[in-house]
Amino acid sequence: MSKPLTDQEKRKQISIRGIVGVENVSELKKGFNRHLHFTLVKDRNVSTTRDYYFALAHTVRDHLVGRWIRTQQYYYEKDPKRTYYLSLEFYMGRTLQNTMINLGLQNACDEAIYQIGLDIEELEEMEEDAGLGNGGLGRLAACFLDSMATLGLAAYGYGIRYEYGIFNQKIKDGWQVEEADDWLRHGNPWEKARPEYMLPVHFYGRVENTKTGVRWVDTQVVLAMPYDTPVPGYMNNTVNTMRLWSARAPNDFNLRDFNVGDYIQAVLDRNLAENISRVLYPNDNFFEGKELRLKQEYFVVAASLQDIIRRFKASRFGCRDSVRTGFDAFPDKVAIQLNDTHPALGIPELMRIFLDIEKLPWDKAWEITKKTFAYTNHTVLPEALERWPVDLVEKLLPRHLQIIYEINQRHMDRIATLYPGDLDRLRRMSLIEEDGIKRINMAHLCIVGSHAVNGVARIHSEIVKNEVFKDFSELEPTKFQNKTNGITPRRWLLLCNPGLAELIAEKIGEDYVKDLSQLSKLNKYVNDNIFIRDVSKVKEENKIKFVQYLEKEYKMKLNPSSMFDVQVKRIHEYKRQLLNCLHIITMYNRIKANPTKEFVARTVIIGGKAAPGYHMAKMIIKLITSVGEIVNNDPVIGNKLKVIYLENYRVSLAEKVIPATDLSEQISTAGTEASGTGNMKFMLNGALTIGTMDGANVEMAEEAGEENLFIFGMRINDVAELDKKGYNAQEYYHRLPELKQVIDQIQSGFFSPSKPDLFKEVVDMLFYHDRFKVFADYEAYVKCQERVSALYKNPKEWTKVVIKNIAASGKFSSDRTIKEYAKDIWGVEPSDLKIPPPNEPRDAIEDTKPANAKA
């Protein structure tokens, strides 16, 4: 059970976790008891832990609602430019603790729940993760919503309310097994259904040319029901909205079947419509061209654009009528950010609305559309880029295909004029790919239909500009930008690592929570023995807490003073969990060869989900778990080396493992990871990075100094050289005896004695089909790991480097990223405005600068 705060702690009243205050505690206890009373069913008078969680969630939500209403009223009256973040994924995790922190209620809630005789951590653990994302892209969207609210931007997240989120991963006999993530089974206290804003979305049908213009007729209608979730900013009373759409069948769905008497079938067929929001596609960095996925992509943009246009027309000077009839002001009031190509159909959909419904001429409609949309690219892996078959789009969205063809024709005419006779360029830049099955290149559609295109780390943006979309950047060089990703320090420091957050606040004040660049002030404490000791103690406490969690979950006793060497992320060949695995076996072999030699004890922790259809990723999980079985049960090894595979890695588990990590593994092949944000979370929480010069690692090395990261391996130009020369894995295998030994062990069945050829295809891939060149970086990686061990032997020097890394992590706040988007892409300005809470008069802000005043 959480301990009550001491008088000294109460006096400190570090506002990063909120002031206790007798009134606050008393009010929270009253609210809790009132909600608990309502939660209990009449015939049941025994409360469960889940009842207590819901009572606390509803109590905290009470403090949100008034601020939420105030914020939306303020936007309605002031009519700022609004930013809409369209994403098929929002990986939100849990909401309760994050809300308490952002409202400044954390300490008061801790105290109130303690006085009631409950353990707040136990209640927090009852909350289901909102796992509405696969990995980095969805988690970035969640961090961005937090920052947009904290910066006072009038912003909205639009996505899908998946009934089933990212699958729950079980590891059975070392294999990944997927279970459905029924995250809504107990209800969701954080969402509000808004049936009054339900909207129709059309599919299929045909296109008719009439005297009054083009009509899309005989369509099948699905209704989009919005569910709103409040998104509070940090201590500024701003509460923005994430609106997620759920698919509903209309009452007359399949009425034709009903007319011929098959009533049961008509009702059952409603599921076909409602399947649209049933489940999140569990694919990360892989394009799967399924009709249901295309339906999801159109469903979210069609509903969202209707909502955006309704708000644009109605929201002006408190007038509730549709006062804006023209659309010239649309880009001055609306900015839409496409989070990768998944919502790309927003471009032809907005054109369809302007052309067919609002009757705008093509040129005017296209000019407004381009000024409105901006596109973020998240990957350069060819298998991840969306290319939809023309036949499928024609069947599902016939009018949109016509519009895409028209966009392409005008685009091709322009290229032909600028580069006469260059047919190869025309082919490369077309929105329609003609090789084999005709496909629409969605990235090309996004680039042509947006006024800004950005990558998510400097190195990635350079690749996007100079390689992947080189023709487009030559055509419009100013369109291409970089916006290096960031993470919210509220969740990824205050929430998950309160000990470190408060230690930093004691040294430099608490303003760093909203201005992370202030962490650079910690540089003056790098040689301060007391601060070094305190930072080290926080890490030690986090490790002990995580060891207790692992012991409970995995029945394994671990040594908290061993180095926690962690790689947690989606399982993918390019992220090279295999390279990590080869190093584990190398360490194992070295200890076996010299059992009396002193080694730095390591606990290697690997976790992540493999896409259900990604066979090689599943084999990698099986290999790691098989290696762990041998290593963990070898008496010669003892506590010198342990291997743990974290089951069901997700946001709430990341919040536990990241603060306890000593070494962060960021070892993708140079040029493959767009940015990474896990690397930033580890850096902020006092882990040192071993990594390649890839993604945001490059900028992390720049901020902290390359000597304060463990950088190894090929750079981008080395990879290009090797590609030119031809990568020959056998060459490394024969040249490096330790590598040969490791591969021979895997191949011979040393780690799979009951099935010696189990890992044959993994070895074959490494030898003959390894696009990500694991062997080429093996030697440099192993040598770099020796440097890691050498530094870890000297705890004081290690902690000095940790402090330098924390001090250098200020750049990687999502607040900084969002400020750059606001200034360079959306044309809005962050506001320090603090909307008065519900218990203060509204006119307290009348004379203040409106939020998002145009620069």
Side-chain angles (χ1 to χ4, degrees), residues 26 35 45 85 139 173 266 307 355 358 424 449 463 473 484 504 536 568 591 678 681 683 686 725-726 782 803 820 834:
S26 164
H35 282 294
N45 56 14
Y85 199 79
R139 185 52 233 170
D173 190 28
D307 213 36
L355 297 169
E358 303 295 344
D424 203 40
I463 294 168
S473 73
T484 298
I504 292 168
S536 184
V568 282
I591 297 168
K681 291 161 197 163
M683 184 187 199
K725 178 180 114 181
V782 171
I803 295 166
E820 290 179 10
K834 197 167 179 180

Side-chain angles (χ1 to χ4, degrees), residues 446-505:
C446 286
I447 294 168
V448 171
S450 297
H451 69 276
V453 176
N454 71 281
V456 289
R458 195 173 61 229
I459 189 172
H460 168 237
S461 297
E462 289 301 311
I463 294 168
V464 162
K465 200 167 141 182
N466 301 328
E467 294 175 36
V468 187
F469 303 122
K470 185 169 184 279
D471 294 314
F472 291 92
S473 73
E474 281 176 4
L475 184 68
E476 297 176 289
T478 56
K479 185 183 272 195
F480 287 78
Q481 304 185 14
N482 174 55
K483 296 286 168 277
T484 298
N485 283 345
I487 56 170
T488 168
R490 272 73 62 183
R491 184 176 292 267
W492 296 112
L493 186 58
L494 270 64
L495 183 154
C496 71
N497 202 343
L500 183 59
E502 293 191 8
L503 179 60
I504 292 168

Side-chain angles (χ1 to χ4, degrees), residues 201 448 636 743:
V201 174
V448 171
V636 175
I743 297 302

Side-chain angles (χ1 to χ4, degrees), residues 577-589 616 619-628 630-631 733 737-767 774-775 778:
Q577 284 90 354
L578 273 174
L579 182 57
N580 191 347
C581 189
L582 300 187
H583 177 245
I584 294 168
I585 301 170
T586 305
M587 287 192 290
Y588 171 78
N589 290 336
M616 185 53 68
M619 289 304 303
I620 290 167
I621 293 174
K622 177 60 176 169
L623 175 61
I624 294 164
T625 54
S626 300
V627 170
I630 299 291
V631 171
Y733 170 79
E738 284 192 309
L739 175 61
K740 184 177 189 303
Q741 182 189 3
V742 168
I743 297 302
D744 290 349
Q745 284 170 302
I746 297 171
Q747 195 159 28
S748 68
F750 181 86
F751 298 105
S752 52
S754 63
K755 197 176 176 191
D757 61 349
L758 180 61
F759 300 115
K760 183 181 184 305
E761 54 195 324
V762 177
V763 174
D764 284 350
M765 183 276 290
L766 285 168
F767 274 137
V774 169
F775 289 3
Y778 168 83

